[in-house]
Amino acid sequence: MEEAGLVGAVGKKLLSVFVGKHETVPPVWLMRQAGRYLPEYRAVREKAGGFLDLCFNPELAAEVTLQPVRRFGFDAAILFSDILVVPLALGRKVEFLAGEGPKLEPIGDAAGLVALRETVDQNVLAPVYETVRRVKAALDDRTALIGFCGAPWTVATYMVSGEATPDQVPARQFAYRDPDNFARLIDQLVQASIDYLVGQLKAGVEVVQIFDTWAGILGSDQFDRWCIMPTQKIVEGVRRQIPEAKIIGFPRGASAMVLPYLEMTGVSAIGIDWTFERSIARDMLQSRVPVQGNVDPLALLAGGAALDREVDDVMKELGGGPLVFNLGHGILPETPIANVERMLKRVRG
């Protein structure tokens, strides 16, 4: 796919940023933009039954993917799914319990690795690809489609502990005590992530994001081994099959390790969380790749003058270069719709 064709033929703001064009009004999408803050989402979720039932129902998953685009006119839709469909496709039991979050069969040692499939079961993931095809067919020629996966480190933290824990200590202990077997788990997740992202790209997504939600809990050596190197392998593996693949890396909480992450992984753009100093992002990151971020989700929840200040600061510090306007993490379920409308009006005005 030639770059000129990528921008000229479709006129999608998100894609134009990826080929170096500066958009005065940057493209906007929000992490978790399809979710519980929308009444129309809650209605579909109730109809679907469980959370995973919704993820694996292409008709309903496509509908909730499209809802925020219809309501707000975002410049991109992001596939409605979850990072833990990959462990499911590797043969692990995954449940989402109301009010408790995800529950998995924990892998506490080398013996737990034996039960994992060597490769993902593409039959498990087939409904996700069908969702992508349905969304792509429904979008206009101005709206891009984003797919995603969880980074191997972040997915491994859930697989080892069986749930989210403070600072994901079980996975960190496993990595220290038995690095060889932990590396086996990471390597399987690397290959699974490559296969999954390539499947999404072939089905029609135009950009993919790698969410490393728990990157910020690792020291520099561990970050290099469990965050940077696996992500580098994913980027290389995806581009072996799809050379022009546009990939956003989002190592949440990585702070000073963001620059080596960017330089070594080869991602096309870097997502920064709300704690990252914007002037540093402008000077050190944005000269290399587009930056995505980084409004504090709590400022969006608060609204009013606090939200205005946050939006204005992002635009002042990062709006002069290639920017994808976003939050620094996912939108909170309690967020008023009026606050999202206020933010978009301010960015676009």
Side-chain angles (χ1 to χ4, degrees):
M1 186 182 292
E2 295 181 0
E3 288 188 351
L6 185 67
V7 179
V10 292
K12 298 182 182 183
K13 270 192 174 187
L14 184 73
L15 302 185
S16 76
V17 168
F18 276 90
V19 294
K21 183 179 178 184
H22 170 243
E23 295 281 355
T24 306
V25 178
V28 185
W29 69 278
L30 303 181
M31 287 181 274
R32 290 203 204 115
Q33 67 187 21
R36 287 175 288 170
Y37 74 108
L38 293 176
E40 57 266 42
Y41 168 85
R42 295 195 296 270
V44 175
R45 170 73 183 271
E46 189 173 336
K47 178 181 176 182
F51 176 74
L52 284 175
D53 297 315
L54 177 52
C55 290
F56 288 115
N57 182 319
E59 180 184 358
L60 298 183
E63 169 60 21
V64 295
T65 299
L66 292 164
Q67 284 172 347
V69 176
R70 289 195 207 109
R71 182 185 275 270
F72 299 113
F74 287 125
D75 296 290
I78 181 164
L79 169 68
F80 183 84
S81 187
D82 192 84
I83 65 171
L84 297 181
V85 300
V86 165
L88 198 65
L90 288 172
R92 301 306 285 177
K93 183 179 179 182
V94 179
E95 294 180 291
F96 283 79
L97 305 179
E100 294 185 46
K103 300 287 182 183
L104 296 82
E105 301 170 81
I107 296 176
D109 51 32
L113 298 176
V114 176
L116 282 182
R117 291 176 52 90
E118 286 298 314
T119 58
V120 290
D121 183 348
Q122 291 288 3
N123 291 322
V124 172
L125 299 174
V128 178
Y129 306 144
E130 176 60 21
T131 299
V132 170
R133 287 187 284 269
R134 287 175 180 240
V135 173
K136 185 67 176 291
L139 289 174
D140 63 26
D141 60 3
R142 299 182 303 277
T143 310
L145 178 54
I146 302 170
F148 69 93
C149 72
W153 162 251
T154 286
V155 175
T157 64
Y158 290 101
M159 294 179 74
V160 171
S161 64
E163 59 187 352
T165 63
D167 292 339
Q168 299 293 59
V169 167
R172 291 164 65 195
Q173 287 185 323
F174 192 160
Y176 276 126
R177 290 173 176 166
D178 193 353
D180 291 342
N181 277 307
F182 192 75
R184 282 177 56 203
L185 174 58
I186 292 292
D187 287 344
Q188 280 186 267
L189 289 169
V190 165
Q191 188 56 53
S193 301
I194 292 169
D195 294 342
Y196 184 39
L197 292 180
V198 167
Q200 292 178 51
L201 286 158
K202 286 182 175 178
V205 305
E206 295 154 296
V207 177
V208 292
Q209 176 157 311
I210 300 173
F211 283 87
D212 216 344
T213 309
W214 290 98
I217 61 177
L218 293 172
S220 57
D221 290 345
Q222 298 284 295
F223 184 93
D224 182 68
R225 182 166 188 181
W226 306 126
C227 292
I228 290 179
M229 302 314 292
T231 303
Q232 180 186 55
K233 290 176 183 175
I234 292 172
V235 172
E236 291 173 351
V238 169
R239 289 195 178 136
R240 268 195 294 272
Q241 299 182 62
I242 303 177
E244 298 297 319
K246 303 291 184 278
I247 303 171
I248 305 167
F250 180 56
R252 181 186 170 207
S255 60
M257 296 301 291
V258 167
L259 184 57
Y261 174 98
L262 173 59
E263 291 179 332
M264 296 177 69
T265 61
V267 293
S268 317
I270 190 78
I272 55 173
D273 64 74
W274 71 93
T275 67
F276 200 92
E277 171 55 48
R278 290 167 191 142
S279 61
I280 295 175
R282 180 195 64 221
D283 296 340
M284 295 182 62
L285 307 177
Q286 208 174 29
S287 58
R288 294 169 165 84
V289 296
V291 168
Q292 177 177 281
N294 72 332
V295 167
D296 187 344
L298 275 174
L300 181 58
L301 176 63
L307 174 60
D308 292 347
R309 285 193 299 271
E310 187 81 351
V311 170
D312 292 351
D313 195 62
V314 171
M315 293 300 294
K316 178 172 76 75
E317 297 294 347
L318 298 171
L323 171 67
V324 178
F325 191 96
N326 206 318
L327 301 178
H329 198 224
I331 188 169
L332 297 166
E334 306 83 13
T335 302
I337 288 170
N339 292 3
V340 179
E341 293 169 340
R342 180 180 183 128
M343 180 180 71
L344 289 171
K345 184 177 180 181
R346 199 163 186 91
V347 172
R348 292 167 171 167

